[in-house]
């Protein structure tokens, strides 16, 4: 239940936003500012061979061009594009061996701009940062006094979402009674589980190599959901994974295949994954972990805010939400540079950046704003541009949500 303090704090914040915005109403409009882009930091935790790099290359391949009804695409800087397409070429070419694992020195931060169509063409509406590092950091002492491990740990602390990458090949070994698979789940991933236990961002368990996770005794003709249900049951029978679920906010179990169901096969005799010469490259669900993060973040923000803010604040907020877009962004930013931002942080339970708070409030205000905007013609070009960007951003979030509805309808076992 909402506390008195929460209500007072949220009231103060909402009131200050209104006050700033009202003051701004009287001023002349400045020229259209560069619209700040909210940034979301994602870390994929997984030991060597889990499939982190191949997943990233496949994800970028799927999303780097605007196609069909998807209102966005991912843009990366040229050097990153070249690197990721090099990985993808090697992965998708059946004549070539799989790419080598990432060396410690090859650790790289990728920044993707999520570009959405707005009035002036494509504009960045969300920035996603993703660290690709050598999984061996999580497995052995590297002779660097633990520097790489500490760096990864602080990365996890700052992350908005952690993807816990579980190696599908090892899980298949576990399910078929191979002691190597048990050692993976019981011992090898312990350091990674430890990091997830102490972090505070939500965890998405990602089951990699979903294409080969079959033939472990599931009934003939078992569909994807039945297969996932069985894998999930077996995984959470292990105390260390169940323990993680008990203490942390784990939202989903997402099976992904970076190559698709008809590309490779697992050879039980050698334990190797071989590419099929007649294979078809058709990645499965790779965009889902990304699509899940932002709507979940906004949902948590809304729940925390509504729980702690109370009805009177909501009516205050509604007033803010009816402001014109030009006043709106500036009003939120102004408030957040004041001590009130710390108070807002207390209400929502974690430090959100200015842009993310703006995105969240903007999202919450959508139902109210749309009505108002039909009647209120924007006074300036700058306002129209801001409104167009806010709409483009909203369309992207909506598309993420739609992706999640479709995915959950197909795989209800993915919800934990
Ligand atoms: N069948 C199948 N195999 C995959 C898939 N993703 C990865 N693999 C296999 O797993 C191997 C390791 O994948 P990487 O992406 O290099 O693993 P990583 O987590 O980046 O490992 P490090 O860089 O050592 O930390 C690949 O070379 C492939 O053989 C997948 O979706 N399906
Ligand atoms: Mg790698």
């Amino acid at each position: 239940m909402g506390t008195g303090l929460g209500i007072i704090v949220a009231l103060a914040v909402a009131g200050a936003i209104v006050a700033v915005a009202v003051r701004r109403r009287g001023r002349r409009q400045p020229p259209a500012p560069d619209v700040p882009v909210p940034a979301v930091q994602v870390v994929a935790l997984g030991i060597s061979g889990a499939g982190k790099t191949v997943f990233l290359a496949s994800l970028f391949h799927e999303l780097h061009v605007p196609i069909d009804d998807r209102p966005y695409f991912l843009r990366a800087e040229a050097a990153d594009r070249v690197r990721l397409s090099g990985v993808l070429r090697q992965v998708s070419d059946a004549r070539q061996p799989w790419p080598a694992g990432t060396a410690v020195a090859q650790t790289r931060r990728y920044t993707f701009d999520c570009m959405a169509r707005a009035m002036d063409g494509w504009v960045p509406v969300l920035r996603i940062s993703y660290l690709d590092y050598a999984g061996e950091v999580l497995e052995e002492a590297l002779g660097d006094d633990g520097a790489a491990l500490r760096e990864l740990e602080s990365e996890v602390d700052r992350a908005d979402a952690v993807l816990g990458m579980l190696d599908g090949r090892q899980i298949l070994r576990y399910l078929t009674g191979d002691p190597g698979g048990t050692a993976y789940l019981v011992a090898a991933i312990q350091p990674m589980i430890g990091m997830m236990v102490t972090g505070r961002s939500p965890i998405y368990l990602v089951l990699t190599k979903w294409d080969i996770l079959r033939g472990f005794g599931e009934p003939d003709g078992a569909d994807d959901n039945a297969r996932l249900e069985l894998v999930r049951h077996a995984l959470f029978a292990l105390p260390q994974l169940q323990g993680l679920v008990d203490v942390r906010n784990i939202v989903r179990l997402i099976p992904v295949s970076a190559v698709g169901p008809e590309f490779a096969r697992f050879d039980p005799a050698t334990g190797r994954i071989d590419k099929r010469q007649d294979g078809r490259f058709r990645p499965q669900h790779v965009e889902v972990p990304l699509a899940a993060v932002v709507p979940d973040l906004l949902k948590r923000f809304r729940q925390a805010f509504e729980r702690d803010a109370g009805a009177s604040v909501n009516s205050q907020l509604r007033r803010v939400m009816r402001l014109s877009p030009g006043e709106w962004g500036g009003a939120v930013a102004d408030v957040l540079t004041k001590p009130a931002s710390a108070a807002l942080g207390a209400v929502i339970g974690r430090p959100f950046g200015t842009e993310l708070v703006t995105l969240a409030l903007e999202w919450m205000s959508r139902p109210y704003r749309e009505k108002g905007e039909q009647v209120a013609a924007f006074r300036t070009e700058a306002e129209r541009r801001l409104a167009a960007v806010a709409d483009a951003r909203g369309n992207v979030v909506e598309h993420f949500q739609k992706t999640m509805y479709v995915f959950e309808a197909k795989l209800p076992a993915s919800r934990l």
Side-chain angles (χ1 to χ4, degrees):
M1 282 308 290
T3 63
L5 179 65
I7 291 173
I8 291 164
V9 164
L11 252 177
V13 171
I17 293 177
V18 172
V20 169
V22 168
R23 270 207 312 279
R24 289 184 161 231
R25 237 187 226 285
R27 288 190 210 149
R28 285 191 62 214
Q29 288 296 325
D34 279 344
V35 181
V37 181
V40 175
Q41 199 160 324
V42 179
V43 180
L45 272 184
I47 68 172
S48 185
K52 301 179 293 295
T53 305
V54 170
F55 164 72
L56 181 65
S58 177
L59 168 76
F60 184 65
H61 168 74
E62 285 293 284
L63 299 181
H64 80 292
V65 280
I67 45 160
D68 302 335
D69 62 342
R70 176 155 42 75
Y72 73 93
F73 71 96
L74 293 187
R75 186 180 69 180
E77 65 175 64
D80 290 349
R81 272 202 313 268
V82 168
R83 188 179 285 246
L84 289 176
S85 68
V87 175
L88 192 91
R89 213 172 325 124
Q90 194 170 351
V91 169
S92 60
D93 185 343
R95 295 161 307 180
Q96 290 197 50
W98 295 98
T102 310
V104 177
Q106 291 170 327
T107 294
R108 194 173 178 96
R109 178 183 304 286
Y110 292 89
T111 302
F112 302 110
D113 274 339
C114 187
M115 307 295 292
R117 199 190 291 280
M119 203 166 82
D120 300 332
W122 294 94
V123 291
V125 293
L126 191 66
R127 187 159 293 148
I128 299 150
S129 128
Y130 184 108
L131 187 77
D132 191 39
Y133 58 91
E136 63 178 298
V137 167
L138 278 166
E139 284 169 277
E140 46 196 276
L142 295 173
D144 61 352
D145 288 332
L149 192 60
R150 276 198 305 278
E151 205 178 300
L152 184 58
E153 208 157 22
S154 69
E155 199 68 37
V156 170
D157 279 345
R158 285 195 301 269
D160 296 295
V162 172
L163 310 182
M165 311 288 278
L166 297 174
D167 185 339
R169 185 176 74 97
Q170 299 288 12
I171 291 169
L172 177 64
R173 293 176 74 192
Y174 165 67
L175 293 171
T176 51
D178 179 335
T182 309
Y184 169 82
L185 283 167
V186 170
I189 62 171
Q190 268 318 296
M192 147 181 165
I193 301 265
M195 246 190 222
M196 293 196 282
V197 167
T198 53
R200 57 173 173 67
S201 38
I203 298 169
Y204 298 82
L205 290 177
V206 175
L207 265 180
T208 62
K209 314 179 192 178
W210 180 237
D211 52 294
I212 58 161
L213 238 176
R214 51 180 75 241
F216 52 80
E218 76 275 25
D220 280 348
D223 65 9
D224 267 14
N225 193 55
R227 203 152 52 98
L228 184 61
E229 191 77 59
L230 290 168
V231 172
R232 169 183 159 168
H233 193 74
L235 282 179
F236 294 124
L238 288 163
Q240 37 289 81
L241 280 173
Q242 186 55 55
L244 182 65
V245 175
D246 290 343
V247 297
R248 287 301 319 279
N249 175 19
I250 299 188
V251 243
R252 301 167 192 278
L253 177 66
I254 305 173
V256 301
S257 170
V259 293
E262 294 155 18
F263 186 82
R265 61 169 73 87
F266 176 73
D267 180 350
T270 62
R272 282 183 18 193
I273 299 173
D274 296 317
K275 293 183 184 176
R276 282 164 41 172
Q277 290 309 308
D278 60 346
R280 280 180 61 198
F281 182 78
R282 246 179 343 123
Q284 249 186 327
H285 307 151
V286 285
E287 76 291 5
V288 172
L290 193 68
V293 170
V294 174
D296 282 356
L297 206 73
L298 297 181
K299 201 164 111 198
R300 273 187 307 131
F301 181 98
R302 178 188 223 130
Q303 280 169 351
F305 204 93
E306 286 178 353
R307 187 187 57 225
D308 294 341
S312 57
V313 172
N314 280 329
S315 72
Q316 290 262 7
L317 260 181
R318 249 173 241 135
R319 275 178 62 199
V320 179
M321 289 162 176
R322 288 202 192 97
L323 298 174
S324 74
E327 294 157 339
W328 169 248
V332 174
D334 263 19
V335 167
L336 291 177
T337 55
K338 297 196 167 68
S341 69
L344 184 59
V347 171
I348 58 181
R350 53 157 301 160
F352 268 54
T354 309
E355 288 84 6
L356 265 185
V357 172
T358 309
L359 170 66
L361 293 179
E362 182 186 282
W363 177 248
M364 285 162 66
S365 79
R366 256 198 145 197
Y368 309 112
R369 263 197 313 113
E370 273 165 2
K371 261 197 215 112
E373 279 168 16
Q374 281 162 13
V375 287
F378 300 126
R379 282 164 301 175
T380 65
E381 181 65 16
E383 284 201 337
R384 271 195 294 278
R385 286 185 54 195
L386 281 171
V389 173
D391 269 355
R393 209 197 308 275
N395 291 342
V396 171
V397 177
E398 231 164 53
H399 192 270
F400 285 152
Q401 278 184 325
K402 212 164 82 189
T403 303
M404 295 317 295
Y405 291 144
V406 172
F407 174 73
E408 279 181 6
K410 193 175 148 211
L411 291 176
S414 66
R415 263 222 101 99
L416 297 177

